[in-house]
């Protein structure tokens, strides 16, 4: 082949490939426009006032297509598929309790996206902002509203690899004191102080006393439920094979996802409830693999997200292993029941 | 090849130069083949780093998966890739220099993986696609480095590898930029990122197929091989009249028997020893962040700092390798790494510290990555060049893997400072032993 032929081949290939590349980018950006238009038959949404102190409401991130996509939205807790009120505040993940909200957001930067956690008051006004070092995944607020916690997946530890680690942060919203990573706490495993460079924490859930919390510890390929003490700054292992714990409003049980042997590697989790006094596990009636930190609607009912047509749908199942799962809302994620009477 | 640059440099240059007129001049830029391969690597790295940059985001926010289990597989992939490299090296040497086609297959395999990412929606298939992608990377590395080495004269090899590594790193820095521009122009445009990545990868393969000569050995290589053997004291294991035309393709045993050659054994041993004390990037960045309180939002920029320093220093340090000897610069590079450890252990907390550490860390890569290949090229005969380079690379990669495991364990048992102090002592010892292992003056330029 002469140089002329080779250049001709290269240039024609470049034209074709540039066409394919441009078309795919245009297609993906046209999709952005489509997502700004509501899908017929989707949930009814109107802009309005959303407050974290209104009784009997469920607040969540609305994922339905339309002008209010990704906004914090509220529905009556008794009618979760009913008309939605959208707030203009956009979050990737969200949780609220005791009149305080935590909202994990992405910020589009020139080179890459960055993330931050904002603390919201009961009228969704921002009271504090914190950098989040990676892609945020879990968020929780203590029942009193004093403490907030979030987890981020941190990549970039190795510029050639695909390794991940997690950082779980806790902030005292009253003093603004931030613990950027639970790795600063002392870990007590089997009665002894435990050090591990590969320790990762995620999925914090708070008790009502504003001192005790639970979280996941992963080290050497195993996960554990740990009980944390905010004053003593310790983490004590409680039970193996527990991820994303969620403490019941009465503080007696933890709902969590358990890695079950024999399930596919990409969908290995089933929902369980652990009685903290007897350490007895009860499998829940949800047969699908759940990758979410469940939320207690009350002392007997759990709510969690599963993948759906528009990102995620919310399901509910009884906490005692009976009954069967029921879909309560489509195109919704990160629910929080605000100002409930229990806890 | 036991050719002594200092002694027979002129003869070698004229012999190889006769075959590659444009690369023969001592002060000339690098050979066109090296530039073509550098372009291929630049384009391919744009493509692969685009995917690497958005993959965590895609898994967590796009697919809603927890990527933690995925991280556990990473170590296994890396070990596997090291072994594939040996296979790629051997295949490329068989049949008298199929370097281009084995490398091309590796690039092609990785390119084909990009559209598959569009179809994979859970961790297991994504893991398989990435394993295939890394197999492609493992296969192409040694033949590509052999091509760079074979198309340069011994006197300009350091520079050739420097230019190649600089172009490679430039691609790695551009990739994430392109990916995030696409994500900004779209909503959830991961499919567009993967499609563009595929198109870019195809361009890389095309440049390789169209502009990298596939016959380095049969025409130019063979003639120059014979000329250089004449300049050596002892011939290679299978040296005949003209290896490429008269002898059988190198067997696997011949590739392994490379280790029986003192010079190859020495350089592999050096790479192994020093690799055992090379703490992985992840730990260096983590230590830097912990010791100096680098804010979280800057954390993702630390690897970019190292890459930028690597990019800037690769060519000047490659030229320096040609001047003072690649073994010497390879050791000096590890001196820079030792300085990184010392700074991380020191009490100095100045604002300049992260910059100094990242500059030295990038300098370490610039003084060792391509330079090791240049140094190894001095000892490996041409018809086994790809296998020999693969052997050295694999030894180094496995040693670094062992170091990571050991460092993690030491950190767990005794804390990060003790673990780093241990690595520093090990590295200093490794440098001293490598100095003692220096070849006799008649064998190398050092």
């Amino acid at each position: 082949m002469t140089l002329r032929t080779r250049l001709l081949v290269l240039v024609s290939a470049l034209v074709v490939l540039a066409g394919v590349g441009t078309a795919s980018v245009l297609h993906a950006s046209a999709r952005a426009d489509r997502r700004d238009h509501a899908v017929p038959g989707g949930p009814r949404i109107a802009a309005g006032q959303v407050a974290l102190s209104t009784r009997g409401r469920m607040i969540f991130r609305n994922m339905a297509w339309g002008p209010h996509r990704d906004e914090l939205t509220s529905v009556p807790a008794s009618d979760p598929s009913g008309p939605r009120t959208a707030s203009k505040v956009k979050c990737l993940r969200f949780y609220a309790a005791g009149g305080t909200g935590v909202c994990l957001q992405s910020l589009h930067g020139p080179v890459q996206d960055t993330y931050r956690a904002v603390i919201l008051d009961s009228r969704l006004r921002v009271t504090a902002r914190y950098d989040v070092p990676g892609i945020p995944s879990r968020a929780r607020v203590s029942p009193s509203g004093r403490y907030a916690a979030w987890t981020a997946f941190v990549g970039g530890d190795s510029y050639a690899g695909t390794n991940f680690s997690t950082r779980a942060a806790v902030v005292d919203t009253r003093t603004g004191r931030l613990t950027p990573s639970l790795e600063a706490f002392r870990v007590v495993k089997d009665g002894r102080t435990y050090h591990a460079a590969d320790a990762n924490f995620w999925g914090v859930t708070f008790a009502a006393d504003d001192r005790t919390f639970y979280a996941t510890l992963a080290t050497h390929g195993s996960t554990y439920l740990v009980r944390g003490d905010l004053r003593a700054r310790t983490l004590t292992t409680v039970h193996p094979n527990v991820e994303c714990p969620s403490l019941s409003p009465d503080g007696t049980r933890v709902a969590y996802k358990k890695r079950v042997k024999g399930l596919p590697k990409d969908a290995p989790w089933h929902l369980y409830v652990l009685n903290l006094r007897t350490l007895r596990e009860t499998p829940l009636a949800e047969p699908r693999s759940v990758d979410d930190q469940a939320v207690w609607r009350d002392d007997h009912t759990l709510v969690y997200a599963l993948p759906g047509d528009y990102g995620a749908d919310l399901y509910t199942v009884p906490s005692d292993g009976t009954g069967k799962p029921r879909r309560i809302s489509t195109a919704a994620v990160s629910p929080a029941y605000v100002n409930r009477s229990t806890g | 090849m036991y050719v002594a640059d200092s002694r027979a440099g002129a003869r070698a240059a004229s012999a190889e130069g006769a075959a590659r007129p444009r690369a023969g001049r001592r002060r000339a830029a690098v050979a066109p083949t090296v530039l073509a391969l550098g372009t291929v690597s630049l384009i391919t790295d744009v493509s692969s780093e685009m995917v690497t940059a958005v993959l965590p985001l895609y898994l967590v926010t796009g697919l809603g998966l927890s990527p933690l289990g995925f991280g556990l597989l990473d170590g296994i992939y890396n070990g596997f890739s090291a072994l594939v490299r040996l296979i790629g090296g051997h295949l490329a040497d068989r049949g008298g220099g199929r370097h281009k086609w084995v490398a091309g297959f590796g690039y092609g395999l990785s390119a084909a993986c990009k559209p598959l990412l569009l179809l994979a929606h859970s961790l297991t298939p994504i893991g398989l696609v990435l394993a295939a992608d890394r197999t492609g990377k493992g296969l192409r590395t040694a033949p590509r480095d052999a091509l760079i080495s074979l198309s340069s004269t011994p006197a300009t090899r350091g520079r050739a590898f420097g230019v190649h590594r600089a172009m490679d790193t430039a691609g790695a820095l551009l990739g994430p930029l392109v990916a995030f521009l696409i994500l900004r122009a779209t909503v959830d445009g991961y499919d567009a990122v993967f499609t563009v990545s595929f198109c870019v990868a195809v361009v890389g393969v095309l440049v390789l197929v169209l502009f990298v000569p596939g016959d380095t050995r049969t025409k130019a290589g063979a003639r120059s091989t014979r000329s250089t053997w004449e300049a050596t004291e002892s011939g290679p294991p299978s040296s005949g009249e003209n290896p490429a035309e008269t002898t059988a393709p190198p067997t696997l045993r011949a590739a392994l028997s490379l280790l029986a050659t003192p010079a190859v054994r020495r350089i592999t041993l050096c790479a192994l020893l020093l690799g055992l004390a090379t703490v992985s990037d992840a730990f260096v960045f983590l230590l830097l962040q912990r010791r100096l309180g680098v804010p979280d939002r800057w954390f993702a920029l630390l690897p970019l700092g190292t890459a930028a320093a690597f990019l800037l220093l690769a060519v000047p340090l490659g030229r320096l390798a040609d001047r003072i000897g690649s073994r010497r610069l390879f050791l000096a590079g590890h001196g820079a790494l030792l300085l990184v450890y010392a700074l991380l252990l020191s009490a100095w907390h100045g604002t300049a510290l992260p910059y100094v550490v990242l500059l030295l860390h990038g300098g370490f890569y610039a003084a060792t990555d391509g330079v090791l290949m240049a140094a190894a090229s001095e000892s490996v005969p041409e018809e086994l060049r790809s296998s020999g380079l693969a052997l050295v690379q694999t030894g180094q990669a496995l040693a670094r893997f062992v170091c990571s495991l050991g460092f993690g364990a030491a950190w767990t048992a005794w804390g990060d400072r003790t673990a780093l102090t241990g690595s520093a002592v090990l590295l200093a010892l490794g440098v001293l032993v490598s100095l003692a292992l220096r070849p006799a003056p008649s064998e190398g330029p050092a």
Side-chain angles (χ1 to χ4, degrees):
Chain A
M1 247 196 286
T2 64
L3 182 64
R4 207 185 132 86
T5 327
R6 282 182 284 166
L7 282 175
L8 205 67
V9 171
L10 182 69
V11 168
S12 10
L14 275 179
V15 169
V16 173
L17 292 168
V20 173
T22 311
S24 73
V25 173
L26 289 178
H27 174 75
S29 61
R31 187 174 52 211
D33 298 336
R34 266 188 291 135
R35 286 187 179 192
D36 285 341
H37 294 102
V39 176
R44 280 164 294 147
I45 311 171
Q49 194 72 44
V50 173
L52 300 183
S53 49
T54 317
R55 271 193 177 279
R57 304 289 289 185
M58 181 180 86
I59 301 179
F60 58 95
R61 169 185 165 194
N62 166 49
M63 299 182 89
W65 289 8
H68 302 292
R69 191 166 190 265
D70 298 329
E71 289 179 17
L72 289 184
T73 301
S74 105
V75 290
S78 55
D79 181 20
S81 56
R84 301 180 175 189
T85 309
S87 68
K88 289 204 175 92
V89 179
K90 288 195 177 192
C91 305
L92 294 171
R93 303 285 164 133
F94 167 77
Y95 195 75
T100 303
V102 59
C103 165
L104 306 180
Q105 302 174 320
S106 67
L107 299 171
H108 296 300
V111 182
Q112 64 183 88
D113 285 6
T114 55
Y115 303 92
R116 68 180 181 189
V118 298
I119 306 297
L120 305 170
D121 69 8
S122 65
R123 299 185 62 190
L124 299 187
R125 287 174 303 209
V126 175
T127 58
R129 290 186 178 85
Y130 302 92
D131 286 333
V132 174
I135 303 153
S137 72
R138 308 287 178 222
R140 277 296 186 271
V141 176
S142 69
S144 73
R146 176 168 174 186
Y147 287 96
W150 56 84
T151 306
F153 285 109
V154 183
D157 282 16
S158 160
Y159 99 100
T162 33
N163 266 311
F164 295 91
S165 58
T166 59
R167 304 268 171 83
V170 177
V171 69
D172 182 341
T173 62
R174 203 181 297 167
T175 63
R177 187 186 177 203
L178 174 76
T179 302
S181 169
L182 287 183
E183 287 166 51
F185 280 31
R186 187 167 70 93
V187 177
V188 181
K189 185 165 169 269
D190 308 320
R192 283 192 306 188
T193 299
Y194 176 79
H195 294 287
D198 72 345
N200 279 303
F201 299 94
W202 67 90
V204 171
T205 180
F206 292 99
D209 62 3
D210 273 342
R211 172 170 181 173
T212 310
F213 67 93
Y214 292 84
T216 316
L217 155 69
T219 178
H220 282 93
S222 305
T223 59
Y224 302 89
L225 175 69
V226 286
R227 182 174 51 242
D229 184 326
L230 287 170
R231 233 172 289 167
R233 295 172 74 81
T234 56
L235 294 158
T236 312
T237 55
V238 177
H239 197 70
N241 199 0
V242 172
E243 293 179 57
C244 297
S246 179
L247 190 63
S248 63
D250 63 13
T252 61
R253 286 153 298 155
V254 157
Y256 64 100
K257 53 183 215 185
K258 173 177 172 169
R259 197 175 279 268
V260 180
K261 275 210 181 85
L263 289 184
K265 218 184 304 173
D266 55 311
W269 298 289
H270 273 178
L271 283 182
Y272 278 72
V273 165
L274 176 75
N275 184 314
L276 288 170
R277 195 173 50 79
T278 62
L279 293 185
R280 239 192 62 178
E281 293 178 340
T282 308
L284 300 191
E286 171 57 79
R288 289 162 291 189
S289 177
V290 175
D291 184 6
D292 191 19
Q293 186 174 20
V295 163
W296 293 79
R297 191 180 75 196
D298 51 49
D299 276 326
H300 313 288
T301 319
L302 287 159
V303 176
Y304 51 90
L306 281 170
D309 290 341
Y310 299 97
D313 297 334
L314 293 179
Y315 289 79
T316 179
V317 77
S319 65
D320 59 2
T322 63
K324 57 180 184 193
R326 196 163 54 83
R327 186 168 71 183
I328 57 166
S329 189
T330 55
V333 78
S334 284
Y337 289 88
V338 294
N339 209 18
R340 60 186 161 203
S341 45
T342 47
Chain B
M1 168 173 30
Y2 312 108
V3 65
D5 288 1
S6 47
R7 212 159 31 86
R11 245 200 296 171
S14 64
E16 298 203 351
R20 303 168 199 78
R22 265 179 287 184
R25 284 176 286 131
R26 265 196 95 81
R27 284 286 142 223
V30 294
T33 303
V34 174
L35 285 180
L37 284 169
T39 309
V40 172
S41 289
L42 190 154
I43 295 170
T44 305
D45 258 36
V46 169
S47 160
S48 63
E49 292 299 318
M50 277 175 76
V51 171
T52 307
V54 303
L55 203 61
L57 209 60
Y58 176 61
L59 292 178
V60 182
T61 66
L63 296 182
L65 302 171
S66 297
L68 268 182
F70 187 71
L72 296 174
L73 288 175
D74 203 53
I76 301 167
Y77 286 162
N78 283 333
F80 178 63
S81 161
L83 292 176
V84 168
R85 201 173 290 187
L86 283 178
I87 298 169
H90 177 64
L91 286 179
D93 283 335
R94 287 189 70 132
R98 289 188 298 204
H99 302 92
K100 178 181 169 178
W101 300 112
V102 174
F105 178 74
Y107 282 110
L109 182 60
S110 293
C113 286
K114 269 68 186 189
L116 291 181
L117 278 175
L118 289 170
L119 305 175
H121 290 287
S122 56
L123 269 187
T124 312
I126 287 175
L128 287 174
V129 171
L130 291 178
D133 183 83
R134 287 188 196 200
T135 304
K137 191 178 166 65
L139 279 176
R140 72 192 180 227
T141 307
R144 181 203 63 205
D145 281 351
L147 276 173
I148 295 170
S149 158
L150 291 172
S151 56
S152 325
T153 65
T156 59
R157 226 169 249 151
R159 185 191 312 177
F161 276 106
V163 167
H164 174 266
R165 294 304 196 259
M167 293 176 83
D168 186 85
T169 310
L173 284 170
L174 277 174
L177 197 67
V178 174
F180 284 108
L181 286 178
I182 292 174
L183 282 188
R184 275 186 78 181
T186 60
V187 165
D188 293 345
Y190 301 102
D191 51 346
V193 172
F194 296 150
T195 309
V196 171
S197 167
F198 169 67
C199 294
V200 173
V202 172
V203 175
V205 175
L206 270 178
V207 172
L208 176 92
V209 171
L210 294 172
F211 296 100
V212 174
D215 50 1
T216 29
R217 279 180 46 82
T218 44
K219 278 188 199 159
R223 244 182 295 149
S224 72
T225 305
R226 188 167 47 175
S227 313
T228 30
W229 296 143
E230 285 163 12
T232 65
E233 283 116 311
S234 58
S238 59
S239 80
E241 277 271 298
N242 192 331
E245 282 165 25
T246 57
T247 59
T251 59
L252 198 57
R253 188 179 300 172
L256 288 176
S257 71
L258 272 175
L259 281 179
T261 323
V264 178
R265 203 167 51 214
R266 252 195 305 265
I267 189 106
T268 312
L269 199 63
C270 284
L272 268 172
L273 273 178
L274 295 167
L276 280 175
T278 304
V279 173
S280 82
D281 293 4
F283 284 123
V284 170
F285 299 138
L286 208 56
L287 283 165
L288 189 61
Q289 199 208 16
R290 294 202 170 183
R291 292 260 152 256
L292 308 167
V294 176
D296 276 342
R297 81 183 115 165
W298 298 120
F299 188 76
L301 294 180
L302 296 181
L304 294 184
T306 293
F310 184 8
L311 171 66
L312 288 177
L313 293 172
V315 177
L317 289 184
R319 295 179 70 124
L320 189 63
D322 289 335
R323 210 137 9 115
I324 68 167
S326 41
R327 285 154 207 269
R328 198 176 284 175
L329 191 70
F330 182 68
L331 291 181
H334 284 86
L337 184 64
L338 195 56
L339 218 53
V340 167
Y341 294 173
L343 285 171
L344 287 175
L345 287 167
S346 77
W348 182 43
H349 278 206
T351 45
L353 191 47
Y355 301 99
V356 176
V357 166
L358 293 179
L359 188 70
L360 284 169
H361 196 232
F364 156 70
Y365 278 112
T368 55
D369 194 59
V371 170
L372 176 64
M373 292 300 100
S377 299
E378 286 165 16
S379 331
V380 182
E382 283 199 15
E383 79 272 17
L384 288 172
R385 186 63 53 84
S386 190
S387 316
L389 296 188
L391 201 65
V392 177
Q393 284 171 348
T394 299
Q396 186 187 42
L398 291 181
R400 285 182 178 175
F401 184 59
V402 170
C403 173
S404 276
L405 293 179
F407 190 84
W411 183 331
T412 302
W414 303 302
D416 52 352
R417 285 188 77 83
T418 316
L420 191 62
T421 310
S423 305
V425 171
L426 211 61
L427 184 59
L429 282 175
V431 172
L432 286 178
V433 171
S434 302
L435 277 173
L437 278 177
R438 210 160 51 159
S442 62
E443 277 192 70

